[in-house]
Amino acid sequence: MNGNDRVVVIGGVMVLLLMLTTAMIFRGEAYAKSDISDDEADLSWMSDLPLESGTDMESQKLNEGSVAVFTIPGTDRAIKGITATLTWDDEPDIRRARLYENQPDSFTLDVISSDGNISETIYGANSADGEGSLLVQVALTDEEVDQFKDSGDWSVIVTMTEAKNYEPRLGPGIVVLTDDGNDFDLKIEYDFYDLYPDGEE
């Protein structure tokens, strides 16, 4: 191989290396762009649908340890936010030869998505005047709304955790009067997108 051949070979190798390097760079950029497009959710559908709202009112009596489950329809919908408000009045004190004070009752309130990935819980007892309230709020980001759309019903769960008895204000508390449970009122407010407003999927 003479000097000219060496120059040709070296030049060819350098051109080949340059082509391979350029191809790898462009291929890497293509993969990066592909990954970005896969990670970024398409939220444009939200701008085409109005945000609607609904309200459900429920009233019920639960005995101690009992549970009531209420559902928020999530099929064909995208839930944006939920506010659940639980209120109750504990029974007043009673007199049986002497005064018996009703001890505070307690409830637990849960809001849970259909797959259980989103869950909010609060527990509490009523005040000394007999009034009690619990509030649970769930606010989803646009990305979460898109992720959980059309994923099934949400649940609002009320548990009558503990119904404390009537105890005498004065004197020994050997004799108590039983408190089995309590009534409650539940208000469920929710915002959602109707994914099929015309009834067609």
Side-chain angles (χ1 to χ4, degrees), residues 123-165:
Y123 162 87
N126 57 263
S127 59
D129 62 5
E131 295 183 358
S133 64
L134 297 175
L135 174 68
V136 171
Q137 291 181 303
V138 175
L140 279 67
T141 65
D142 288 347
E143 288 75 18
E144 289 174 327
V145 172
D146 183 70
Q147 178 183 354
F148 290 100
K149 68 177 183 290
D150 199 16
S151 61
D153 296 343
W154 289 63
S155 298
V156 178
I157 304 173
V158 178
T159 304
M160 211 283 107
T161 311
E162 185 177 21
K164 290 188 176 181
N165 296 322

Side-chain angles (χ1 to χ4, degrees), residues 59-62 85-93 102-107 124-134 160 162-164 166 179-186:
S59 296
Q60 193 170 324
K61 180 175 182 178
L62 287 179
T85 306
L86 180 73
T87 57
W88 71 95
D89 286 312
D90 201 2
E91 296 86 356
D93 301 339
N102 192 5
Q103 304 305 302
D105 291 351
S106 57
F107 281 87
N126 57 263
S127 59
D129 62 5
E131 295 183 358
S133 64
L134 297 175
M160 211 283 107
E162 185 177 21
K164 290 188 176 181
Y166 297 84
D179 182 1
D180 294 325
N182 215 320
D183 297 323
F184 69 84
D185 295 313
L186 177 65

Side-chain angles (χ1 to χ4, degrees), residues 47-128:
S47 61
D48 298 328
L49 297 175
L51 185 62
E52 303 181 45
S53 61
T55 301
D56 295 337
M57 304 292 294
E58 306 287 349
S59 296
Q60 193 170 324
K61 180 175 182 178
L62 287 179
N63 290 330
E64 185 178 65
S66 298
V67 175
V69 180
F70 307 94
T71 58
I72 301 172
T75 302
D76 298 340
R77 289 178 170 183
I79 300 296
K80 173 64 176 175
I82 299 171
T83 299
T85 306
L86 180 73
T87 57
W88 71 95
D89 286 312
D90 201 2
E91 296 86 356
D93 301 339
I94 57 176
R95 185 174 292 278
R96 296 288 187 273
R98 55 179 171 168
L99 184 64
Y100 285 81
E101 295 180 328
N102 192 5
Q103 304 305 302
D105 291 351
S106 57
F107 281 87
T108 301
L109 180 62
D110 300 273
V111 176
I112 306 174
S113 62
S114 59
D115 58 4
N117 284 327
I118 297 179
S119 177
E120 295 290 341
T121 300
I122 190 171
Y123 162 87
N126 57 263
S127 59

